[in-house]
Each structure stands twice: as structure tokens, then as C-alpha cells.
């Protein structure tokens, strides 16, 4: 489970998602002109969808161009896996310049989960690329209506590491504040940045992953951001030694207006479950297998740091729906707090069943281990 230095050197990958017309292309254009972006490769769906004419230098091949900024831009008409593999092979052969970051721009109607699955599961890609951040653009004027009408836009916001409220100058203070409140309820841990014409420092969007390239260490607290959930709901304690910070807003929206719609984000919950007692790895694996098979579509995103029985160092876990990324052993605990903390963003799945099922599985494994140890101790040599 250890994270090697080779994995630290994998190419940081950022996914930019957002609903149709929310400003993904404008953001991308603005980012590529910034200092420090010259070693970036960009994957888009079609060159015609992005206004890069003024940035275009020359075409290297049918689907690769070099930009004035030094960035590489590729169109991916088919499979993302083949696109990323081709990009890496061309870099290895020296056919395109070296790059240390990849940005993938999704289509406006895309569910980002399959892209995250690809980055987390394909053997070649996981050895060469690492998911660093998911950036979601939300239109400040039209965003609320899109969240009401399009479930894709809700998922895009729910799985984000960073949310950009675009066209902020066109929306009133009331509209911006209302949308921000709604987005924070969907995803308490993601910072929300108002943006005009894609103008935002790239540093705010990157390095949201577990690994911090600046300090060359594991930045668990920034990655997990479990403290964000303390401010978005009351803390609930149980008899089982576990508790969760559950945000109640998601199931108690005000539906007093006769024509109010059944908002898609009413089905989304964000919460952090904390376990005081160490967790048996076998119990967690069994729990993960059951929930990914039975309710995988409801686990939009899961991040956690586990205190495992028999392990001195913490273990980081990360999942998107049906897929759990291979766990990573961390060098040390980020603080004196050695409790297990797991952050969930779910659809139609509350904290109680998750918390209780993991608790009971852990108790059962602990009892089995204790019984086995007792039998061993009582058996004559």
C-alpha cells in the first residue's frame, strides 16, 4: 500500500467540467496564457469547440497542435484512454515537448464519473498520470435553473475539488449568494471562486490532490478538508464510538412554493464520518465491496484517512462510485488526531446505514480475531 517516489512523479491531471455554456472554454483560454502553464497538455473534444485560433502556432499531427504559450493541445474524438496513451507515447518519442500537467475538458453534458474511473483504473494511465483536481464551472446567472433541470450539472458540482462561479459580473448579489449557498450544501469542502472571463490564478485550481509537489509531501488536510463539514451541520454521536458531521440541508429544503420543482440536489448528501476506534482492514474491504456492488451509483465520491488495526501509519482511500482507487500508506499522521475520517458525497444514501454497517462489520471482524487469538493462547504447544 506504500506510495513510491515513482508515483509522486506521475503527471498531475485536472478535469474541467461544467454544464453547457458555463465558461469552460473561456477558462481554458485564460489559463493557457498564464506564466507557468507552458508545460501543460490539454485534451479537448474538438478543436472547433475552442477558440484557440489566436493561440495556434503549428499543427504537429492531425490531432495535436502546439500553442504560442508552449502548451500542447490535442483533440480526443474517441476513447480517452487511447488519447492519453498516445499523448504519453509521443512525449516519450520526442514527437511533442515534455509536459508535467494534463488538463481534460469534458463536454457540457458529460457525467464526470466515467472520466475519473478511467484515470483511477486503467493500468497504464494510473502508472503515468495521477488525478490532481476536478474543477467545475457553474454559470452564476443560469446555474440554479440548470441544477433544477439537469442532474448532470448537480453531479458535476458534487464531485468537484474547486467550483468556479462564472459570469459573476452578470449576476446580482442575491443570485450569487443563493447559488453559493446551494453549492456549499452540495459540496461543503470545495472552495467557490467567483470568476469573470475566466480570470483566476491557476494555482487556486491545481494541487488539490493528496500529493503536494511544492513540499513533496502528502497534504492530507488540504485534500480531505474534513473540517469543512464541521461548519455545515451538527455533529451526531452514537453508542458505537463513531459519529458523523451530517449536513441536514439536503433533505429539508423549503418546498412551500406551490410550483417548486423537485430539485435534483435534494437527493445529494455530503457528510464526514469519524471512527474513534481503529478499523480492521478486512472489515473495510468487505464494506467497500458490498457498497460498491449494491450502491455504487450512490457513492459519488469518497475520500478518507484510516487508522487501521496493526498499522502505525494512516492509509488514504479514494473512490468514485463503483471504483476504489488502490489505498496509499502515508508517511505519518498529519496531526495528533489519529481517528479515521471518511468524507462522503452520496445520492439517496444517508450516513446512518454507512456508519452502522461499517461499525458492525468492524466489530464482527474484531470479535473473530479475538476468538482466534484466545483459542491460540489456550492451545498447548
Amino acid at each position: 500500500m506504500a506510495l513510491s517516489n515513482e508515483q509522486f512523479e506521475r503527471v498531475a491531471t485536472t478535469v474541467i467540467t461544467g454544464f453547457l455554456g458555463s465558461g469552460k472554454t473561456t477558462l481554458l483560454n485564460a489559463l493557457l496564457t498564464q506564466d507557468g502553464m507552458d508545460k501543460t497538455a490539454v485534451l479537448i473534444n474538438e478543436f472547433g469547440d475552442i477558440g484557440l485560433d489566436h493561440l495556434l502556432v503549428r499543427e504537429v499531427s492531425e490531432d495535436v497542435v502546439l500553442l504560442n504559450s508552449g502548451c500542447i493541445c490535442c483533440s480526443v474524438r474517441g476513447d480517452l484512454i487511447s488519447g492519453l496513451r498516445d499523448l504519453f507515447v509521443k512525449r516519450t518519442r520526442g514527437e511533442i515537448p515534455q509536459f508535467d500537467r494534463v488538463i481534460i475538458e469534458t463536454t457540457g453534458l458529460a457525467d464526470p464519473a466515467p472520466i475519473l474511473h478511467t484515470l483511477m483504473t486503467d493500468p497504464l494511465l494510473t502508472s503515468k498520470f495521477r488525478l490532481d483536481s476536478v474543477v467545475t464551472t457553474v454559470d452564476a446567472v443560469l446555474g440554479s435553473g440548470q441544477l433544477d433541470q439537469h442532474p448532470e450539472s448537480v453531479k458535476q458540482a458534487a464531485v468537484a475539488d474547486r467550483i468556479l462561479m462564472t459570469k459573476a459580473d452578470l449576476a446580482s448579489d442575491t443570485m450569487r449568494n443563493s447559488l453559493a449557498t446551494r453549492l456549499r450544501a452540495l459540496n461543503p469542502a470545495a472552495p467557490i471562486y467567483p470568476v469573470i472571463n475566466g480570470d483566476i490564478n491557476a494555482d487556486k485550481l491545481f494541487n488539490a490532490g493528496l500529493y503536494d509537489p511544492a513540499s513533496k509531501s502528502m497534504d492530507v488536510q488540504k485534500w480531505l478538508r474534513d473540517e469543512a463539514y464541521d461548519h455545515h451541520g451538527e455533529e451526531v454521536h452514537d453508542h458505537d464510538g463513531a459519529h458523523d458531521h451530517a449536513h441536514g440541508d439536503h433533505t429539508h429544503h423549503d418546498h412551500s412554493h406551490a410550483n417548486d420543482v423537485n430539485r435534483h440536489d435534494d437527493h445529494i448528501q455530503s457528510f464526514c464520518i469519524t471512527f474513534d476506534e481503529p478499523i480492521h482492514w478486512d472489515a473495510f474491504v468487505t464494506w467497500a465491496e458490498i457498497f460498491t456492488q449494491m450502491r455504487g451509483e450512490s457513492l459519488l465520491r469518497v475520500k478518507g484517512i484510516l487508522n487501521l488495526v496493526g498499522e502505525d501509519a494512516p492509509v488514504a482511500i479514494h473512490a468514485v462510485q463503483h471504483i476504489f482507487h488502490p489505498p496509499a500508506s502515508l508517511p505519518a499522521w498529519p496531526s495528533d488526531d489519529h481517528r479515521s475520517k471518511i468524507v462522503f458525497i452520496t445520492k439517496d444514501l444517508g450516513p446512518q446505514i454507512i456508519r452502522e454497517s461499517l461499525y458492525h462489520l468492524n466489530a464482527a471482524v474484531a470479535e473473530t480475531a479475538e476468538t482466534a487469538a484466545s483459542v491460540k493462547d489456550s492451545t498447548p504447544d
Side-chain angles (χ1 to χ4, degrees):
M1 290 189 295
L3 212 60
S4 68
N5 290 331
E6 290 180 1
Q7 289 177 294
F8 288 166
E9 295 168 1
R10 293 176 301 169
V11 178
T13 305
T14 292
V15 176
I16 295 180
T17 186
F19 201 69
L20 292 167
S22 62
K24 296 186 299 296
T25 299
T26 302
L27 170 66
L28 193 52
N29 272 299
L31 287 176
L32 295 183
T33 63
Q34 294 186 29
D35 292 338
M37 294 293 290
D38 54 310
K39 291 185 178 180
T40 300
V42 181
L43 277 74
I44 59 176
N45 293 288
E46 295 288 347
F47 287 133
D49 293 338
I50 185 166
L52 291 173
D53 291 344
H54 64 293
L55 297 173
L56 195 61
V57 178
R58 62 187 176 91
E59 191 171 297
V60 178
S61 64
E62 181 184 357
D63 59 351
V64 179
V65 297
L66 294 182
L67 310 179
N68 279 331
S69 62
C71 301
I72 305 153
C73 193
C74 310
S75 78
V76 181
R77 297 182 179 87
D79 186 16
L80 175 64
I81 294 177
S82 62
L84 281 170
R85 285 179 172 177
D86 289 347
L87 195 65
F88 190 84
V89 168
K90 287 175 180 175
R91 185 182 81 159
T92 302
R93 292 175 178 171
E95 297 174 8
I96 58 175
Q98 293 291 313
F99 55 86
D100 56 17
R101 178 173 298 280
V102 171
I103 296 177
I104 302 169
E105 183 194 355
T106 73
T107 64
L109 292 173
D111 178 350
I115 294 176
L116 304 185
H117 288 173
T118 298
L119 292 171
M120 293 168 66
T121 58
D122 180 77
L124 178 61
L125 297 189
T126 55
S127 68
K128 304 300 181 184
F129 301 89
R130 60 180 172 86
L131 177 62
D132 177 58
S133 59
V134 179
V135 177
T136 299
T137 55
V138 180
D139 189 309
V141 178
L142 303 177
S144 289
Q146 290 167 347
L147 291 171
D148 285 341
Q149 299 168 22
H150 302 283
E152 302 89 351
S153 65
V154 176
K155 289 186 72 173
Q156 289 165 354
V159 302
D161 296 298
R162 306 284 186 265
I163 297 175
L164 304 187
M165 193 186 300
T166 60
K167 308 175 189 177
D169 55 325
L170 303 180
S172 67
D173 290 343
T174 300
M175 293 172 69
R176 288 196 302 271
N177 292 337
S178 176
L179 179 58
T181 298
R182 191 168 176 182
L183 291 171
R184 286 193 192 97
L186 268 174
N187 190 342
I192 301 172
Y193 300 109
V195 175
I196 299 172
N197 295 325
D199 183 17
I200 185 169
N201 193 305
D203 290 342
K204 292 185 176 180
L205 307 184
F206 302 146
N207 302 331
L210 183 58
Y211 174 62
D212 182 355
S215 62
K216 298 192 182 301
S217 64
M218 311 299 269
D219 197 339
V220 177
Q221 290 169 318
K222 185 175 72 173
W223 174 71
L224 192 61
R225 291 207 71 201
D226 61 285
E227 78 282 353
Y229 296 83
D230 293 341
H231 307 294
H232 284 264
E234 59 180 334
E235 186 174 346
V236 181
H237 290 265
D238 279 331
H239 66 278
D240 56 15
H243 52 274
D244 66 280
H245 312 294
H247 193 296
D249 243 0
H250 309 291
T251 53
H252 300 287
H253 289 298
D254 180 8
H255 292 288
S256 57
H257 300 289
N259 296 323
D260 197 11
V261 296
N262 178 23
R263 303 196 306 186
H264 293 289
D265 46 336
D266 288 347
H267 299 273
I268 306 296
Q269 291 194 61
S270 303
F271 48 88
C272 177
I273 293 178
T274 300
F275 280 84
D276 298 326
E277 299 298 322
I279 295 175
H280 287 264
W281 179 242
D282 287 348
F284 182 81
V285 169
T286 301
W287 175 89
E289 289 175 346
I290 292 172
F291 268 81
T292 52
Q293 290 176 17
M294 303 295 293
R295 299 297 302 273
E297 75 287 348
S298 298
L299 297 173
L300 300 186
R301 202 163 184 189
V302 180
K303 291 181 179 182
I305 178 171
L306 304 181
N307 181 352
L308 296 178
V309 173
E311 297 285 339
D312 294 329
V315 170
I317 53 102
H318 184 200
V320 177
Q321 292 191 318
H322 303 85
I323 303 298
F324 263 84
H325 191 276
S329 290
L330 307 183
W333 285 92
S335 70
D336 292 335
D337 186 353
H338 290 190
R339 295 175 299 170
S340 297
K341 296 180 180 180
I342 314 174
V343 167
F344 292 87
I345 298 179
T346 64
K347 180 180 179 183
D348 296 324
L349 183 62
Q352 183 173 354
I353 187 173
I354 292 175
R355 181 182 62 246
E356 291 185 356
S357 60
L358 183 51
Y359 167 76
H360 289 300
L361 277 169
N362 195 53
V365 171
E367 183 177 353
T368 300
E370 190 174 316
T371 301
S374 176
V375 171
K376 182 179 178 180
D377 291 341
S378 62
T379 301
D381 292 336

